[in-house]
Amino acid sequence: MELRDYLRIVRKGWILITAIALVAIGAAAAYSFLKTPEYSASAKVFVSVQSSETVSDLAQGNTLIINKVKTYAELVSTPAVLQPVIDDLAIEATVTDVAKQITATAPLDTTLIQIDATSTDPALAADLANSAAQNLSAAVAAVEAPAVGDGASPVRITQVTDALVPTSPESPNIPLNLALGALIGLALGLGVAVLRETLDTRIRGEHDVQSVTDAPIVGGIPFDTKAEERPLIVQDDPRSIRAESFRSLRTNFQFLGGGSSRRTFVFTSAVQGEGKTTTVANLAIALADAGRRVVVIDADLRRPRLADMLGLEGAAGLTDLLIGRAEFDDLVQPWGRGNLDVLPAGRIPPNPSELLGSTAMVDLIARLEQRYEYVLFDAAPLLPVTDAAVLATHVSGTVIVVAAGRTRKAQLRATIAALENVEVKPVGLVLSMLPTKGPDAYSYGYGYGDIADPAENPAWEPLADTVVPRPAEPSSGDAAGPRRSTAVAEAPAPSSPPAPVAKATVAASAAPSEEAAPAGESPAASTEAPPARSSARTSPARKSPAGSAPRSGAPAGTRRVTAKPSPSAADEAAVARPVKPAPRKRPIAPKSAVPEPLDEDYPTPTLFDGDEPDGAAAAKPAARPTLVALRSRRGARPSGSASRENSR
Amino acid sequence: MTEGGFRVLVVCTGNICRSPIAEQLLRARTSEGGVAFSSAGTGATPGAAMPGEAAELSRAYGGEPDGHVARRITRALIDESDLVLTAAREHRGAVVELSPRASRHTFTILQFARLLASVDPVDLAAAGTPAEVVAAAAARRGYARPGEDDIPDPYRRSFAEYQVAAALIDDAVAQIATALDRRG
């Protein structure tokens, strides 16, 4: 684990850690308050040899004492001293009890003995220490008395420090106890948090997904407690952050599937209840809102939910079609304002997998791809049944919906393995039910306070997708990165002829003359490019705003600024992004209508720019590998899109 | 639209309680010669008559129950209708299973009334024909808040249950008749 991981764990488990620390502090406090206070007093005695003889005698005596002083200290805990103490103080205690209360120590290389006494009574503590000191004197005198004669003991013990009645208890030491409690509590809490993290096998967020697969996360859908009541959030509350997350998902979806023109996706998950149907339905509505022709098919032939969610009758549908009982045109149900068609599951068949793998299904997919820009399948979960895997082999992309906090890592691993068995690699993952707070929180959107309502301001919605080219976007230029974008960038309004612009750009960029031609051509070539794209099949409504003045919708307005014919903007941009003179002479791109595929080193940046307002937000999840590249190139992007837009 | 004007088919199980009441109330509340109403049952005994309670309630709400005989639903009946209204979702499913194409204009009675209520009044006013009204309502599916779709079957139950069903039908029919009649 890295330090970052620990920080994440702390962030995630801070409540637990704090709680455990508080409990420990509380325990320490309780212990301190419940414990009877103990007082401690100490007395000191000085040990000397009685000798009035010579200095050498004195020196000898001193050496003797230093050797013996430890023994005298030990004497304190013997009945020889303690019994008289008990008698003197008239306390009811045994020698053993008192021995525990009195300790004597002899500091090294001195002839002092320190006698400490503890007691719950401060006066008694002092008395014990003093009495012990006095009785030690007597006891030593007794044991050291010469065996013969009645001479006094040569050893004399003098009390040098009287024990004083202590004013404050020695224990408990409240601050120390509390500090210890806090420390132990924190350590314990941290340990529990780390343990919990280690034992937690559920996928909580992006972090956990990355540890399982390198498939990109194409969307994050925040959890909504009311998701059951209003699953069609894009419809019900288009301004909510949740609806925004589906629009981000829509944005990312336009780049899934690599260069293929197929836009057929199957949505599955590990187990049921991960939000597949909700995700598919909302994505389909979001795509339809953006002017795409979308068909969404309930391919969960075991527990179909799509028709109910969309408020349609699901009694007849895909199964009727696959067994040849009815025609697609009879079964498909238009939804909403016309761009979205829905094919419910129909009656539940006994053999869903066979139906989904049948040639009728393959034919159906081919036909639908002709007719719709997006074909979305809501499939059954992959771990219990194989339906989704069967379907996955026939579509252009498989998306796994992962419910944060529900799906286990092992389940996701197994799901991916099940797809690998049929040689399908998921094109992306959608994390659903993301928490809205905390370290794993939904972080894919900006949470615009005032997202333009598509109903109020139809301008930006359609525009959103029109300007987004496909990854392998046809472009007139070839590789050499910066130049072309600049040239195309400050493209004129549709009315302006391409020539002057080319000139202006060349002047500003001081590009070699070879540059001029492709630069000038770009707008022209891109005029023809759009029809080659699927977005050409759009409703007229989508096209109208392209060249028009900015509307009130802030994001749209901002974006469209680049599209406005503004010579100064052109210059500015050219200055801001100085054009590197082409180091080599590029072959001039064919001026034919057949555009070349975009250069490899410039693969997907178009993804997130020039797109709808949520484009920037959307960049976050999907762009994992390309995000840096995107940022560095961002400047060039909107303008390129703008010219395309204008050239419409 | 089929020849001879807009046709509405009301469907329930026995074609003796809920659907005839709805049919008769719709007919009573729309101008004559406009929309044509009929009814059928998914499990009807052909020729059966309405129970006394149903006939009584129909009359109480302004319907004309005399002469009604039950008939069983057929695909032909569905295909010649421009709008199919059912008592409950089970009937809606049955209708669509019989004729999948009907899914676009088959609703439960309560659902259709609710959808109509959610249609923008401007759009509703702009709808010139009953078919356009149906299309406008159909486009609201999924938008309108979900609610109770089914009218409970009162057959062989207490008179109170008949009253509940008839009251539900009456409410919904008032709305549906208004929407259809202006264009009938």
Side-chain angles (χ1 to χ4, degrees), chain A residues 83-106:
Chain A
Q83 194 53 55
V85 168
I86 293 168
D87 296 341
D88 287 358
L89 299 177
I91 50 175
E92 283 188 21
T94 63
V95 170
T96 334
D97 295 336
V98 178
K100 284 178 193 155
Q101 286 177 275
I102 298 175
T103 53
T105 48

Side-chain angles (χ1 to χ4, degrees), chain A residues 31-101:
Chain A
Y31 168 79
S32 303
F33 283 113
L34 291 178
K35 197 178 179 230
T36 324
E38 289 223 319
Y39 296 85
S40 170
S42 67
K44 274 187 185 141
V45 295
F46 180 79
V47 186
S48 58
V49 179
Q50 275 180 334
S51 160
S52 52
E53 306 297 317
T54 62
V55 174
S56 65
D57 282 352
L58 202 64
Q60 270 185 359
N62 210 33
T63 314
L64 173 85
I65 297 301
I66 288 178
N67 286 338
K68 282 202 159 182
V69 78
K70 265 197 145 49
T71 317
Y72 296 154
E74 290 295 317
L75 210 56
V76 172
S77 52
T78 62
V81 174
L82 295 181
Q83 194 53 55
V85 168
I86 293 168
D87 296 341
D88 287 358
L89 299 177
I91 50 175
E92 283 188 21
T94 63
V95 170
T96 334
D97 295 336
V98 178
K100 284 178 193 155
Q101 286 177 275

